[in-house]
Amino acid sequence: MTKDKVRIGIIGAGRIGKIHADNLLRNPHAEIVGISDLYAGPELESWAAGRGIPVVTTDSGKLLAMSDVDAVLICSSTDTHVPLMEQAARAGKHIFCEKPVSMDLAQTRSVVEAVRQSGVKLQIGFNRRFDHNFRRVREHVQSGAIGDPHIVKITSRDPSPPPAEYIRVSGGIFMDMMIHDFDMARYLTGSEVEEVYAQGNVLIHPVFAEHGDVDTAIVTLTFSNGAIGVIDNSRQAAYGYDQRVEVFGSLGSVAAANDHPNTAEISTAAGLMRDKPLHFFLERYNEAYVQETALFIDAILNDVPVLVDGHDAVQAERIALAARMSMQQGRPVKLSEVPGAPVGSKTVSL
């Protein structure tokens, strides 16, 4: 690592790995020295060659052993995250890992603690914290502009359901989809969740029931500062990707609406019409993806804390597990019923 550039290895060359690669290639403070994928072949080699990435391999261990790799982005399947994080920490590589860290809270806690003890930086891919709309909402809440937060409302609805093969391994709606919203709820309020009550149903497609999941869910949250939250998720919104938040407080409220391709609106005798929201997460959160990796690089170069750490990963998983437990048992679940966060961890918010 030089004083103004971090050398990166990317593990996992699927859709998100390639998005991070293209974003980092535009960052003057990052250099991608290699990429690994279990299925690396001529297609990936051609893709990498066109971007000047010199090393393409099926062996992630090769990247982790390279002396000129300062940090790794772990973008592979969730079941590989824990062993790869352990190997990267032992090799002294800074780590950016996509969410969730794992489907097993005990494993997540263990690896987060191991990484902390190794002294390398760990950032988790909760990209929505870096969204320009949500970040502005957070700033207004933190400044006291709306007073003490009383109610937090988060809506997150996908334009279409994922394929059956994904549903089978996703971990369920709370761990796969709503986990982003659990992190966002903590981020917006600056407060920890104390209790969770979840309800869900299969209203879109029976394939979810076949895999023990639901496609529609509502969760209410109670925060340690007394605020109340409500999150609603759907795997299919006919009108497109629906991403909205509102924080209501003692002095007012602040809200963020959907992003649209443009602001044009047509008014006729038939009614008022405008374009649907940006199609899906890649379009809606494009700039958030750019910002999260840029700030990861900045944290390494300037030796400052990352903005979404291992504690945040553990807390989001705890809430997701409490929500699953609540839905299964039909009762509110205290977070104290779910194992706690690693000793010595600390949340650093934007």
Side-chain angles (χ1 to χ4, degrees), residues 15-296:
R15 179 169 56 179
I16 195 63
K18 288 179 176 177
I19 287 171
H20 286 319
D22 283 338
N23 289 337
L24 287 168
L25 287 168
R26 296 192 295 270
N27 188 324
H29 302 296
E31 176 186 355
I32 303 175
V33 298
I35 188 164
S36 73
D37 192 275
L38 285 175
Y39 305 101
E43 183 179 346
L44 182 59
E45 290 170 358
S46 175
W47 178 90
R51 289 159 173 78
I53 300 174
V55 175
V56 177
T57 178
T58 59
D59 182 8
S60 59
K62 179 177 178 179
L63 283 187
L64 292 170
M66 291 172 61
S67 61
D68 58 347
V69 169
D70 306 310
V72 291
L73 270 64
I74 299 175
C75 309
S76 49
S77 59
T78 300
D79 61 309
T80 68
H81 290 178
V82 168
L84 287 171
M85 289 171 64
E86 290 172 341
Q87 294 167 36
R90 287 196 298 267
K93 314 297 186 185
H94 301 292
I95 303 165
F96 177 101
C97 182
E98 283 297 338
K99 68 82 198 169
V101 169
S102 79
M103 301 295 185
D104 184 308
L105 183 60
Q107 288 188 18
T108 298
R109 294 180 64 199
S110 177
V111 74
V112 165
E113 179 63 14
V115 172
R116 187 187 70 84
Q117 291 184 11
S118 76
V120 302
K121 296 186 183 298
L122 169 62
Q123 181 171 320
I124 305 301
F126 283 121
N127 64 297
R128 296 183 190 182
R129 290 194 183 208
F130 301 84
D131 173 70
H132 57 291
N133 293 324
F134 300 159
R135 187 168 183 172
R136 189 65 176 141
V137 171
R138 160 77 175 188
E139 289 170 353
H140 283 304
V141 174
Q142 289 296 99
S143 72
I146 65 160
D148 297 325
H150 290 176
I151 299 173
V152 181
K153 297 172 68 177
I154 302 175
T155 290
S156 182
R157 303 167 186 165
D158 287 352
S160 58
E165 55 269 23
Y166 180 82
I167 296 168
R168 179 174 57 84
V169 298
S170 71
I173 195 169
F174 301 121
M175 188 66 77
D176 171 54
M177 184 178 179
M178 201 180 285
I179 195 166
H180 277 292
D181 305 310
F182 295 143
D183 181 68
M184 183 54 52
R186 296 178 58 246
Y187 169 66
L188 292 177
T189 61
S191 182
E192 295 293 357
V193 172
E194 289 192 344
E195 185 177 89
V196 179
Y197 181 51
Q199 292 181 295
N201 210 340
V202 178
L203 302 175
I204 296 167
H205 199 288
V207 68
F208 289 94
E210 293 169 12
H211 295 290
D213 197 7
V214 298
D215 53 38
T216 307
I218 290 180
V219 170
T220 57
L221 307 171
T222 303
F223 297 89
S224 58
N225 64 1
I228 302 169
V230 59
I231 300 170
D232 74 84
N233 274 189
S234 172
R235 289 289 195 178
Q236 181 172 283
Y239 51 86
Y241 196 40
D242 193 354
Q243 300 284 292
R244 292 171 285 137
V245 304
E246 178 192 12
V247 183
F248 170 81
S250 57
L251 298 179
S253 70
V254 56
N258 286 311
D259 270 4
H260 293 262
N262 57 69
T263 59
E265 184 175 281
I266 181 170
S267 303
T268 71
L272 305 180
M273 292 166 284
R274 66 177 304 177
D275 286 349
K276 293 189 294 185
L278 291 171
H279 174 64
F280 208 5
F281 66 94
L282 296 181
E283 295 85 0
R284 171 64 178 80
Y285 293 114
N286 177 64
E287 186 58 28
Y289 285 119
V290 173
Q291 288 298 315
E292 69 173 349
T293 52
L295 289 172
F296 175 59

Side-chain angles (χ1 to χ4, degrees), residues 279-342:
H279 174 64
F280 208 5
F281 66 94
L282 296 181
E283 295 85 0
R284 171 64 178 80
Y285 293 114
N286 177 64
E287 186 58 28
Y289 285 119
V290 173
Q291 288 298 315
E292 69 173 349
T293 52
L295 289 172
F296 175 59
I297 298 299
D298 180 72
I300 295 170
L301 287 176
N302 295 297
D303 193 22
V304 296
V306 297
L307 300 176
V308 192
D309 64 11
H311 175 70
D312 297 311
V314 170
Q315 291 299 85
E317 288 183 29
R318 291 180 70 209
I319 300 169
L321 290 175
R324 182 189 299 167
M325 186 187 306
S326 173
M327 187 179 69
Q328 291 173 342
Q329 299 181 8
R331 66 176 180 89
V333 171
K334 298 282 188 182
L335 260 288
S336 58
E337 298 179 56
V338 181

